[in-house]
Amino acid sequence: MKHVIIGNGIAGVTASEAIRMLNGTADITMIGDEIFPPYSRPMISHVLDGSQPHDKLPIRSEHFYDDLKITPLLGQRARGIDVDNRQVELADGTRVDFDRLLIAAGADPRPTQAEGLDLKNIFYLRTQDHVKQQTTALAGARRAVVLGGGLVGFKAAYGLLKRGLSVTMLITSGYPLSMQVDATAGRMILNELVCHGLKVEVGVSVRAFEGNGTVRVAVTDTGTRLPCEIVIIGKGVLPARDFIPKDKIDADLGVLVDDHLQTSVPGIYAAGDVAESVDIARDCRWVNALWPEAAGQGRVAGLNMAGRPVAYPGSLSRNVMRVFGLDVLTVGNADPIEDAGYRVVRSSGADRHFYRRLVLKEDRLVGAVMINGIEQGGVLRALIENRTPIRLPPETLIAPGFNFGQLLY
Amino acid sequence: MKQVVVHPERCVGCMQCMLACATAHSRSLMLFAAVQETPQPKARIHVGAGCFNEGFPNRCRHCDPAPCQMACLAGAIYRSDSTGTVMINPDRCINCASCAMACPYGVIRFHEDPLGPAGHAIAVKCDNCSARVAKGQIPACVEICKAGALTYEEMDTAMRRKNRAVARSMSTDADPPVMPAGVALLKSIKQSELQLSGS
Ligand SMILES: Cc1cc2nc3c(=O)[nH]c(=O)nc-3n(C[C@H](O)[C@H](O)[C@H](O)COP(=O)(O)OP(=O)(O)OC[C@H]3O[C@@H](n4cnc5c(N)ncnc54)[C@H](O)[C@@H]3O)c2cc1C
Ligand code: SF4
Ligand code: SF4
């Protein structure tokens, strides 16, 4: 049995480990663009903010491929999939046969349009290589511009602030992380960032970058000139599925998978940021491009590929962020259009440092936001994920002493 | 392999296990010295109040597979091959709290720890008292619990005992479940208090 995995991110890694666990001898080939040992992608933001050294990024040994008897084909992208002949085509023209294929190509930063994007010190934040270049560019940088207030834009701005730079963030909604949290939490996060020196421009985009080889100014569409020595673009990600024949393998935003993470073609699976599964809280197709989802999906896909049928229950949006003095935890459908059958329960009183919000649909919890005191967030996540009918009054779930023991009655 | 087995119905909420746990994870390993340490050693077992205000001892289940391990952003969570205990490597943890989101029981805490790097908060949870067990001792919470709410035994033995108790309670001349006298008293006081308060 020939297993081929496209992508050596966490989804590809956990898939290969699952296959090897069930089958000690099967052929496993991993095709990967990045040659660095398997590493923690989220942790690059900790390297940017200076709290972790670059050499702590690897999460598996440098002998990972040898230890698991994997044939690595690293340093180039897969260019296509020949579904009929069951082959993967590489950039250099090589063709790799497969019996079972996993598409775990992850996601790429959503590109942005502006003049002068080829100037130096304008970056995306996705790979260890990006962050290496950024930490080099930090020397001598005083002012930064960050495009986008989503997860990556926020992390970039936070990291640069912690490095002591003067940071201007350009966002489209009134507060950062608007896809992750509701307006109240969003404004608490914004306040916390602003208290630490962040400057925010709402509803503007960059028209052009100027500089003499290296970026010096970002010019917005309203004509404002923002001097800067470093720019990070964090306008979200797009599943890396350009190389996938869409006439053969069904894809929407991501590659569509069924409840065993198989694509529309038998024997071809997808997992991680590239896969579009079903969101448990929203009850519809969704790409949840997140580390724990990618790790879990990779494992389930690997088990299925190796012949043990394991169902995948669906994915969930979930995030934990530390924002200076605020710990923010958000899970599920945290900010649905209200009154469409949803009920929202909030903590009372305006406290700058504490907030709770639960979203319920009928007797199920579908979303939650917590600011500070986030230790019980996993209990709420499990209630959402398992679609557990909530018998306790929802107010109990947001009370300070809430713990797992209270669910047992 | 012996494990800590929790019998929540026997917990009187005295929180002795929390003190013993914090002491067992201090530098001095002695209660009176431990309270003076900086950073303060903290318990890794958490006695919460249940719906009827009864005690509920909550600790890591060392799940297999472990959701926290799968969610850890830094690869800091691993399973010890020899004991099956789920462990957090304090030197790899980046305090991102991704594991807090993953743990269905809410047993992970985040703080600076005497056994972790100085000056950095990290994720902290039950380690099955690995250090004590390696010295031939039993986990500190079990040793201190006088109500029988925490026992250290083979899972098989615990299951067999539970089965027998259930079978006994279903026979006509059923004995009341075995419980130390003091425990039964405390429990009934709590229950009657609740009835009086009308909940
Ligand atoms: C700065 C940052 C912070 C983040 N923080 C968090 C967080 O706090 N919590 C969280 O849950 N998630 C976070 N994420 C998201 C998380 O990193 C991703 O969800 C996760 O890495 C996805 O894993 P994956 O294996 O699906 O894809 P990837 O990690 O993207 O791996 C895919 C690999 O495949 C390679 N590849 C792509 N196309 C091809 C091809 N055609 N041929 C060969 N190889 C290819 C890519 O180069 C890449 O190495 C963060 C991401 C970033 C960038
Ligand atoms: S911390 Fe929670 S999820 Fe992890 S093993 Fe313990 S009980 Fe399970
Ligand atoms: S807080 Fe530490 S142990 Fe928990 S997920 Fe993050 S790195 Fe892993």
Side-chain angles (χ1 to χ4, degrees), chain A residues 69-294:
Chain A
K69 294 186 266 109
I70 294 170
T71 311
L73 295 175
L74 306 183
Q76 59 175 327
R77 288 213 161 197
R79 192 171 61 192
I81 302 172
D82 184 341
V83 173
D84 300 324
N85 294 310
R86 298 188 92 73
Q87 283 181 328
V88 178
E89 203 185 305
L90 302 190
D92 67 3
T94 321
R95 292 179 151 254
V96 184
D97 295 319
F98 66 83
D99 297 311
R100 299 261 189 286
L101 175 68
L102 176 66
I103 303 168
D108 292 316
R110 188 189 295 270
T112 195
Q113 305 287 324
E115 279 171 48
L117 273 173
D118 51 349
L119 289 171
K120 266 181 70 184
N121 292 357
I122 301 178
F123 301 105
Y124 292 102
L125 179 56
R126 180 72 191 175
T127 65
Q128 58 83 26
D129 194 42
H130 292 153
V131 80
K132 197 184 245 167
Q133 295 175 32
Q134 286 159 10
T135 44
T136 313
L138 280 175
R142 285 188 299 123
R143 293 157 301 188
V145 168
V146 172
L147 311 191
L151 188 63
V152 172
F154 153 76
K155 291 209 169 183
Y158 182 64
L160 295 169
L161 278 177
K162 284 189 79 173
R163 288 277 190 170
L165 273 72
S166 156
V167 184
T168 307
M169 191 184 193
L170 310 188
I171 55 181
T172 36
S173 339
Y175 50 88
L177 300 166
S178 58
M179 294 293 285
Q180 279 83 16
V181 299
D182 65 304
T184 308
R187 278 193 287 269
M188 289 171 78
I189 296 169
L190 181 62
N191 278 344
E192 187 72 10
L193 289 167
V194 168
C195 279
H196 287 82
L198 182 74
K199 291 189 270 305
V200 176
E201 301 262 352
V202 177
V204 289
S205 53
V206 167
R207 192 178 64 203
F209 296 103
E210 295 173 2
N212 188 4
T214 305
V215 70
R216 285 285 169 265
V217 180
V219 188
T220 70
D221 52 1
T222 54
T224 316
R225 297 174 64 81
L226 302 166
C228 54
E229 290 82 41
I230 182 168
V231 173
I232 297 184
I233 304 164
K235 296 180 80 72
V237 295
L238 288 173
R241 55 163 179 64
D242 309 348
F243 66 100
I244 289 158
K246 282 199 273 312
D247 53 333
K248 303 271 183 182
I249 302 175
D250 291 348
D252 185 22
L253 175 60
V255 178
L256 302 184
V257 290
D258 66 10
D259 59 357
H260 286 73
L261 298 179
Q262 189 163 253
T263 66
S264 56
V265 179
I268 302 185
Y269 295 75
D273 283 9
V274 75
E276 182 169 328
S277 60
V278 169
D279 184 291
I280 296 175
R282 296 182 174 90
D283 234 342
C284 64
R285 291 205 154 276
W286 205 269
V287 178
N288 279 311
L290 294 164
W291 181 269
E293 297 297 347

Side-chain angles (χ1 to χ4, degrees), chain A residues 40 56 322 381 406 409, chain B residues 54 73 91-92 95 101-102:
Chain A
S40 170
K56 269 204 175 174
R322 310 253 192 206
R381 197 242 345 122
Q406 298 179 347
Y409 297 89
Chain B
E54 74 287 13
L73 298 186
D91 296 315
R92 275 214 65 94
N95 193 34
M101 174 75 90

Side-chain angles (χ1 to χ4, degrees), chain A residues 235-404:
Chain A
K235 296 180 80 72
V237 295
L238 288 173
R241 55 163 179 64
D242 309 348
F243 66 100
I244 289 158
K246 282 199 273 312
D247 53 333
K248 303 271 183 182
I249 302 175
D250 291 348
D252 185 22
L253 175 60
V255 178
L256 302 184
V257 290
D258 66 10
D259 59 357
H260 286 73
L261 298 179
Q262 189 163 253
T263 66
S264 56
V265 179
I268 302 185
Y269 295 75
D273 283 9
V274 75
E276 182 169 328
S277 60
V278 169
D279 184 291
I280 296 175
R282 296 182 174 90
D283 234 342
C284 64
R285 291 205 154 276
W286 205 269
V287 178
N288 279 311
L290 294 164
W291 181 269
E293 297 297 347
Q297 289 176 10
R299 182 169 185 276
V300 170
L303 295 174
N304 280 300
M305 289 167 73
R308 180 186 291 178
V310 176
Y312 179 71
S315 63
L316 211 55
S317 307
R318 39 148 113 186
N319 269 293
V320 191
M321 286 148 293
R322 310 253 192 206
V323 195
F324 297 107
L326 300 183
D327 297 338
V328 181
L329 183 146
T330 144
V331 48
N333 195 359
D335 195 20
I337 302 159
E338 264 188 64
D339 74 52
Y342 295 100
R343 187 156 67 95
V344 173
V345 180
R346 294 182 186 81
S347 54
S348 57
D351 184 326
R352 267 190 55 217
H353 298 288
F354 186 85
Y355 178 61
R356 292 283 184 273
R357 172 190 169 91
L358 298 181
V359 182
L360 296 111
K361 192 167 194 184
E362 287 149 24
D363 61 347
R364 309 283 155 93
L365 188 65
V366 296
V369 180
M370 307 172 100
I371 292 192
N372 286 345
I374 59 168
E375 291 84 357
Q376 304 304 315
V379 182
L380 301 183
R381 197 242 345 122
L383 292 174
I384 298 174
E385 196 161 300
N386 301 328
R387 298 189 166 94
T388 313
I390 309 290
R391 286 179 294 163
L392 292 169
E395 290 72 19
T396 315
L397 304 183
I398 57 175
F402 171 67
N403 67 83
F404 179 79

Side-chain angles (χ1 to χ4, degrees), chain B residues 80-130:
Chain B
S80 141
D81 289 338
S82 53
T83 62
T85 299
V86 174
M87 304 283 280
I88 301 179
N89 178 346
D91 296 315
R92 275 214 65 94
C93 173
I94 56 174
N95 193 34
C96 66
S98 183
C99 51
M101 174 75 90
C103 176
Y105 306 107
V107 298
I108 308 176
R109 297 293 178 273
F110 303 88
H111 50 76
E112 195 184 337
D113 192 77
L115 309 179
H120 292 285
I122 48 162
V124 181
K125 69 167 192 70
C126 164
D127 61 355
N128 274 339
C129 270
S130 305

